[in-house]
Amino acid sequence: MSYRIQYHKDFLKFLMKHQDIQQRVVESFEVIARNPYQNSLDIVRLKGEENKYRLRLGKYRFLYEIIEEQILVYAYKANSRGDVYQ
């Protein structure tokens, strides 16, 4: 069973601005949606947060949450390393 993927409008705005990595990001989230807890990507659970994770692709970080009740992967924030956690 595959999870649905939902992107926040600011996340989509970031992707539109960074066309060079857009395809890679979308493919990575498709891998996460197929099996959110077992994958070969650079993913770390955020400290102090339950079901919130960070995906690293090069110098960019993508924050997302796994919502089990809705079978959903919700990508809500994207930015460079220094700015994404603020």
Side-chain angles (χ1 to χ4, degrees):
M1 176 177 66
S2 188
Y3 283 60
R4 289 184 306 116
I5 305 170
Q6 183 177 353
Y7 300 104
H8 188 274
K9 65 177 180 153
D10 293 338
F11 191 96
L12 291 173
K13 198 180 294 186
F14 177 88
L15 288 182
M16 295 309 287
K17 217 160 128 184
H18 296 86
Q19 297 273 330
D20 54 324
I21 62 165
Q22 184 178 20
Q23 185 65 32
R24 215 168 122 204
V25 172
V26 171
E27 288 172 357
S28 295
F29 274 98
E30 288 173 357
V31 169
I32 292 168
R34 273 187 241 119
N35 193 344
Y37 300 106
Q38 288 285 345
N39 55 61
S40 59
L41 302 171
D42 186 357
I43 294 175
V44 175
R45 188 173 69 81
L46 296 179
K47 291 181 181 177
E49 300 287 342
E50 197 170 319
N51 295 326
K52 291 190 178 182
Y53 299 87
R54 180 271 293 155
L55 167 65
R56 181 177 72 89
L57 292 173
K59 66 179 183 175
Y60 298 108
R61 305 299 185 266
F62 304 92
L63 303 182
Y64 68 94
E65 181 176 6
I66 298 172
I67 304 171
E68 289 294 337
E69 300 83 34
Q70 299 176 19
I71 309 172
L72 176 70
V73 174
Y74 179 61
Y76 61 92
K77 194 164 185 183
N79 215 327
S80 61
R81 192 192 97 197
D83 298 329
V84 76
Y85 301 109
Q86 296 177 3

